[in-house]
């Protein structure tokens, strides 16, 4: 049977009379594309000559996490002579854009980044964006600088929940989309199925006729090949570059006069010599070095200054220029109090003829909150460089300069701050960054943020759409786990890829998702693939949602862990510590095998006598401890527990403020 999109193409051909008026053309591979591009050269060096807005393309690369987006950008870089020779390319390595340590360790993109390449006199500004929904604020911020998007989709998996999330943002802004079916070299690739699903998704999201008329490019970012047909790939990325040049619109410019300058700040960088620097796209007008400028915002007073330096993006770096005009993406310095969402306008003549500010960047509200404060455990202050509440406060509020989706609030306690973000991962990345900088922190458990519906007066809570791919034999365990957390089954079936995998979709409160990943992986023996994305706020579910079903093993007293103490304690559950580590009273040292907490003495030493025991030669093996990462530690926390974060260790303990009169006793309710 012919693929769905080929059948759709035949139907669309029947309305050719309308096509002549609207320009609506079928968007599928295998047909003559409406975007016929001339041959493009491989030049990557930017000339000093100003580039016309007609020869600029501003694109964002969006995708679901792990669909090969950053690897695809690597291939584009290698084929535009960004690197001097093969030796320099090898030195740069793979995933060049994921320059942060955490990005390389986690295998995800966390921060959006800019680069620029040249092809046949056309400058392509490329913005690499995160694929994880927790960093959706980065995507929303970057889309303000774009005119179109590359939607990267895996050739086997097709669109995923986070593909829907990022694509919806792009379609709402009216952007044209070039669909890149990546990893086409996979043996199980099914390009027809993937294009069908992308088409269905666009229809579901309410795309316009012009957006439905998307161009499809099939590519392998790993091999550096691409083509308009999955069976006819060229050994380079030329078809993809051609699609970008001819199918993505050039920037729309109303005026290039200096007095009409409008430049929305979408990102902030910092230079040790030039201070705070703004990154923005010039919507209208032009700008030059030394020009008096102002930062305008609809709800804030105007801030004035003079532009001391001006840069445009050049390959992986930036290049200083004397002027730039509408359509270009710039980096500038000279104003110390730059904020994301400000509009850079001219201040010549006191700004009498200056344009008004653009609408500020709108981001979705946070859904999860955690408390960060001063580490007050008995082992505090041994490792960290930054320990006081003032240092922690300054660092958190400094993070607000760049992280638009983050919120920091004072609390009733002088040494604790409430930090709200788009998800647990969003907050743990910040905590991990601070830990590596030398901070010691006391972290509270994650809690969801409720809000009141202004129309109905009801209290609402965030819900997430979760998709789990798991072998068929474990599907029952997944359903049981989600049902106990008040999840609502939306869909269930077998994966079309033929791998005997079940696909289970649930709508579940964010409260129910806290701590569920580790349990899900344990229940499925590590085989589950979990994708979750924020869905909406819905009426709050009454009552508490079941958390973990096992208690904690607590340290009975302060001291040093001994192997003799571990021998007795390991029969009670799974331990987190090994011999020789320091511990303190009510510190969590393991997972109890039953509900409820239990205090055990892991500092106990063996009594020494001059009598030889009959069992002296019998030794008991000690089970290796469980090593928890920061994410796993945060997931484990119950409502009455806290996490101590230091540059080299994570320690969990019962919250002394919640133990009351029970503090110091062996068990805690």
């Amino acid at each position: 049977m012919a693929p769905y999109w080929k059948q759709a193409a035949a139907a669309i051909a029947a309305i050719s009379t309308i096509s002549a008026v609207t320009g609506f053309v079928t968007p599928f591979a295998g047909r003559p594309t409406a975007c016929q591009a001339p041959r493009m050269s491989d030049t990557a060096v930017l000339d000093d000559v100003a580039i016309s807005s007609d020869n600029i393309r501003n694109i964002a690369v969006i995708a679901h996490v792990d669909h090969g987006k950053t690897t695809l950008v690597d291939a584009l870089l290698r084929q535009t002579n960004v690197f001097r020779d093969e030796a320099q390319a090898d030195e740069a390595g793979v995933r060049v854009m994921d320059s942060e340590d955490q990005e390389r360790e986690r295998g995800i993109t966390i921060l959006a980044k800019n680069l620029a390449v040249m092809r046949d006199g056309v400058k392509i500004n490329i913005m690499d964006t995160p694929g994880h929904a927790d960093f959706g604020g980065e995507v929303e911020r970057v889309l303000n600088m774009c005119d179109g998007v590359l939607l990267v989709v895996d050739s086997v998996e097709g669109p995923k929940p986070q593909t829907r999330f990022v694509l919806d943002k792009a379609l709402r802004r009216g952007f044209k989309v070039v669909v890149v079916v990546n990893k086409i070299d996979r043996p199980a690739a099914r390009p027809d199925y993937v294009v069908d699903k992308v088409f269905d998704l666009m229809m579901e999201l309410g795309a316009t006729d012009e957006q439905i008329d998307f161009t499809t490019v099939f590519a392998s970012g790993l091999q550096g090949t691409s083509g308009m047909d999955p069976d006819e790939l060229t050994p380079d990325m030329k078809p993809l570059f051609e699609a970008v040049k001819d199918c993505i619109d050039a920037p729309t410019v109303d005026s290039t006069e200096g007095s009409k300058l409008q430049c929305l700040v979408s990102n902030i960088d910092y230079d040790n010599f030039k201070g705070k620097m703004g990154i923005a796209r010039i919507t209208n007008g032009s700008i030059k070095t030394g020009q008096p400028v102002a930062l305008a915002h609809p709800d804030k007073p105007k801030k004035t200054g003079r532009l001391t330096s001006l840069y445009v993006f050049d390959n992986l770096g930036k290049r200083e220029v004397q002027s730039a005009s509408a359509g270009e993406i710039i980096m500038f310095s000279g104003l110390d109090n730059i904020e994301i969402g400000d509009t850079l306008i001219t201040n010549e003549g006191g700004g009498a003829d200056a344009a008004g500010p653009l609408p500020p960047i709108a981001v979705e509200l946070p859904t999860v909150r955690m408390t960060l404060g001063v580490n007050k455990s008995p082992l505090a202050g041994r490792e960290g460089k930054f320990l006081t509440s003032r240092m922690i406060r300054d660092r958190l509020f400094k993070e607000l300069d760049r992280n638009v989706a983050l919120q920091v609030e004072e609390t009733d306690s002088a040494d604790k701050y409430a930090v709200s973000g788009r998800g647990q991962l969003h907050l743990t990345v910040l905590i991990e960054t601070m830990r590596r900088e030398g901070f010691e922190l006391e972290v509270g458990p994650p809690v969801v943020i409720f809000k009141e519906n202004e129309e109905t007066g009801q209290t609402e809570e965030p819900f997430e759409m979760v998709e789990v791919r798991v072998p068929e034999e474990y599907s029952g365990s997944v359903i049981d786990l989600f049902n106990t957390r008040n999840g609502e089954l939306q869909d269930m079936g077998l994966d079309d890829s033929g791998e005997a995998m079940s696909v289970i979709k649930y709508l579940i409160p964010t409260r129910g998702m806290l701590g569920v990943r580790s349990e899900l992986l344990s229940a499925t023996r590590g085989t589950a693939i979990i994708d979750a994305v924020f869905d909406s706020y819905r009426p709050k579910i009454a009552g508490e949602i079941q958390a973990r079903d096992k208690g904690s093993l607590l340290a009975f007293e302060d001291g040093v862990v001994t192997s003799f103490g571990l021998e007795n304690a390991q029969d009670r559950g799974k331990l987190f510590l090994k011999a020789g580590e320091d511990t303190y009273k009510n510190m969590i040292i393991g997972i109890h095998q039953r509900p409820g907490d239990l205090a055990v003495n892991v500092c106990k030493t063996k009594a020494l006598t001059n009598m030889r025991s009959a069992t002296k030669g019998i030794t008991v093996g000690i089970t290796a401890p469980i090593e928890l990462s920061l994410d796993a530690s945060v997931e484990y926390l119950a409502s009455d527990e806290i996490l101590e974060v230091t540059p080299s260790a994570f320690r969990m303990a019962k919250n002394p403020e919640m133990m009351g009169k029970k503090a110091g006793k062996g068990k805690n309710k």
Side-chain angles (χ1 to χ4, degrees):
M1 184 175 180
Y4 171 53
W5 55 266
K6 289 184 178 177
Q7 298 177 25
I12 293 174
I15 57 171
S16 57
T17 55
I18 299 176
S19 302
V21 178
T22 64
F24 181 71
V25 188
T26 53
F28 312 110
R31 61 162 175 84
T33 176
C35 306
Q36 300 295 338
R39 181 175 179 81
M40 306 178 78
S41 66
D42 295 329
T43 305
V45 180
L46 292 176
D47 299 325
D48 291 333
V49 180
I51 300 174
S52 167
S53 61
D54 293 335
N55 292 325
I56 295 177
R57 300 293 184 272
N58 298 318
I59 62 169
V61 186
I62 60 176
H64 177 81
V65 64
D66 201 33
H67 276 197
K69 168 176 50 61
T70 305
T71 306
L72 185 73
V73 174
D74 275 359
L76 299 179
L77 287 172
R78 290 175 182 273
Q79 295 186 22
T80 48
N81 292 344
V82 168
F83 303 111
R84 180 179 62 251
D85 50 31
E86 196 65 31
Q88 189 184 38
D90 293 339
E91 182 181 351
V94 295
R95 293 171 55 219
V96 179
M97 297 301 291
D98 286 348
S99 53
E100 299 290 327
D101 290 340
Q102 283 199 70
E103 291 180 321
R104 290 184 174 273
E105 292 168 13
R106 295 174 181 265
I108 60 175
T109 301
I110 296 174
L111 300 174
K113 304 174 189 68
N114 294 62
L115 71 147
V117 296
M118 290 289 289
R119 293 284 293 199
D120 195 27
V122 175
K123 180 178 181 181
I124 304 176
N125 286 307
I126 302 174
M127 280 137 277
D128 188 18
T129 65
H132 201 288
D134 280 25
F135 307 109
E138 293 283 308
V139 179
E140 292 164 339
R141 176 169 56 76
V142 162
L143 289 180
N144 283 278
M145 298 189 286
C146 300
D147 299 296
V149 296
L150 292 185
L151 177 67
V152 182
V153 187
D154 189 283
S155 65
V156 177
E157 296 182 359
K160 304 292 283 183
Q162 290 163 30
T163 309
R164 181 191 185 94
F165 173 80
V166 293
L167 180 60
D168 186 40
K169 300 290 182 187
L171 294 179
R172 286 185 183 182
R173 293 178 178 272
F175 291 159
K176 287 185 178 179
V177 180
V178 173
V179 176
V180 181
V181 181
N182 196 27
K183 303 185 181 180
I184 197 66
D185 55 323
R186 293 182 63 176
R190 41 182 182 164
D192 292 346
Y193 167 85
V194 171
V195 176
D196 285 351
K197 289 297 183 182
V198 173
F199 183 84
D200 292 342
L201 179 59
M202 284 197 173
M203 294 289 289
E204 188 177 341
L205 293 176
T208 65
D209 288 351
E210 190 176 20
Q211 290 171 328
I212 288 287
D213 180 23
F214 61 84
T215 297
T216 304
V217 181
F218 302 90
S220 169
L222 192 62
Q223 296 184 355
T225 59
S226 64
M228 307 306 293
D229 189 286
D231 298 323
E232 298 178 6
L233 301 183
T234 62
D236 55 27
M237 287 292 177
K238 188 180 77 170
L240 180 54
F241 278 116
E242 291 175 344
V244 169
K245 179 187 173 184
D246 295 294
C247 300
I248 300 296
D249 294 333
T252 302
V253 178
D254 294 333
S255 173
T256 57
E257 296 180 14
S259 61
K260 304 299 182 183
L261 175 64
Q262 287 179 309
C263 195
L264 184 66
V265 178
S266 299
N267 200 357
I268 289 176
D269 201 358
Y270 188 83
D271 186 275
N272 291 330
F273 301 100
K274 298 185 180 295
K276 189 179 287 189
M277 305 182 71
I279 299 175
R281 170 189 166 171
I282 306 176
T283 304
N284 288 307
S286 59
I287 192 170
K288 59 181 182 293
T289 304
Q291 175 180 339
V293 292
L295 292 172
H297 191 283
D299 304 321
K300 299 177 184 177
K302 188 166 67 172
K303 298 170 282 190
T304 60
R306 187 174 293 272
L307 212 66
T308 58
S309 59
L310 181 65
Y311 299 88
V312 295
F313 287 93
D314 183 357
N315 298 337
L316 291 171
K318 59 183 184 289
R319 176 173 57 86
E320 189 166 7
V321 294
Q322 294 302 310
S323 63
S325 59
E328 185 62 273
I329 295 177
I330 61 170
M331 181 183 289
F332 63 91
S333 65
L335 298 95
D336 294 332
N337 46 1
I338 306 170
E339 296 181 12
I340 292 176
D342 287 344
T343 302
L344 187 70
I345 60 176
T346 184
N347 198 41
E348 292 179 334
D353 298 326
L358 295 169
I361 297 172
V363 296
E364 292 184 5
L365 296 176
T367 58
V368 176
R369 179 185 293 120
M370 297 173 70
T371 59
L372 273 65
V374 176
N375 183 14
K376 294 179 285 188
S377 85
L379 303 180
R382 296 188 178 188
E383 305 168 17
K385 296 185 293 183
F386 307 109
L387 310 173
T388 65
S389 61
R390 179 184 61 81
M391 293 176 174
I392 295 172
R393 182 186 186 280
D394 290 347
R395 176 63 181 84
L396 290 175
F397 280 94
K398 182 182 178 182
E399 184 70 18
L400 296 180
D401 287 344
R402 291 191 59 180
N403 205 330
V404 294
L406 198 72
Q407 292 183 3
V408 179
E409 300 170 336
E410 307 273 359
T411 65
D412 296 336
S413 175
D415 53 11
K416 288 183 181 177
Y417 303 92
V419 183
S420 306
R422 294 282 279 273
Q424 183 175 303
L425 180 61
H426 186 197
L427 298 178
T428 54
V429 165
L430 171 62
I431 295 170
E432 177 67 17
T433 301
M434 294 178 64
R435 181 185 77 86
R436 298 184 183 197
E437 292 172 356
F439 283 86
E440 284 195 17
L441 302 168
E442 179 184 284
V443 180
V447 295
V448 301
I449 299 174
F450 301 108
K451 74 173 186 179
E452 183 176 336
N453 189 311
E454 296 180 356
E455 296 180 358
T456 63
Q458 283 186 313
T459 301
E460 296 183 337
E461 65 176 320
F463 277 69
E464 296 183 19
M465 183 62 70
V466 186
E467 178 181 296
V468 181
R469 295 179 71 247
V470 67
E472 288 185 68
E473 60 265 30
Y474 298 119
S475 58
S477 302
V478 174
I479 293 172
D480 288 343
L481 182 59
F482 280 139
N483 286 343
T484 59
R485 292 176 174 257
N486 289 9
E488 181 181 324
L489 182 64
Q490 301 293 301
D491 191 14
M492 179 179 176
L494 292 178
D495 190 3
D496 296 331
S497 62
E499 298 179 1
M501 299 282 282
S502 294
V503 180
I504 304 169
K505 296 182 180 179
Y506 261 87
L507 183 66
I508 184 170
T510 301
R511 279 190 296 161
M513 282 299 293
L514 297 177
V516 78
R517 292 178 184 270
S518 56
E519 289 191 37
L520 199 57
L521 290 174
S522 298
T524 61
R525 298 190 179 182
T527 58
I529 302 173
I530 311 160
D531 295 309
V533 65
F534 171 76
D535 181 77
S536 60
Y537 268 89
R538 295 169 181 250
K540 179 185 175 185
I541 296 177
E544 296 296 323
I545 294 179
Q546 178 182 332
R548 65 172 193 252
D549 56 354
K550 295 181 180 178
S552 299
L553 295 177
L554 308 179
F556 182 75
E557 61 182 358
D558 300 354
V560 178
V561 178
T562 65
S563 56
F564 182 72
L566 293 177
E567 286 182 13
N568 298 319
Q570 66 184 7
D571 294 334
R572 302 289 188 176
K574 300 176 181 178
L575 301 178
F576 298 148
L577 301 179
K578 58 185 177 183
E581 295 188 21
D582 293 323
T583 186
Y584 53 87
K585 190 172 185 177
N586 290 323
M587 175 176 158
I588 298 174
I589 60 169
I591 306 173
H592 191 200
Q593 59 189 3
R594 295 187 177 89
D597 300 330
L598 176 69
V600 293
N601 190 356
V602 290
C603 302
K604 188 178 188 181
T605 56
K606 188 173 184 179
L608 301 178
T609 68
N610 59 354
M611 301 294 293
R612 180 179 176 86
S613 171
T615 58
K616 180 177 176 61
I618 300 177
T619 58
V620 178
I622 298 177
T623 306
I626 300 173
E627 295 185 7
L628 293 182
S629 63
L630 173 61
D631 298 85
S633 299
V634 170
E635 277 207 351
Y636 181 83
L637 291 178
S639 59
D640 61 341
E641 297 169 350
I642 55 175
L643 173 64
E644 174 191 357
V645 178
T646 72
S648 64
F650 306 114
R651 305 184 188 97
M652 294 176 288
K654 287 294 175 181
N655 190 342
E657 298 176 1
M658 301 184 67
M659 295 187 69
K661 296 180 181 180
K662 294 276 184 182
K665 292 192 175 183
K667 293 185 179 181
N668 179 46
K669 293 184 180 179

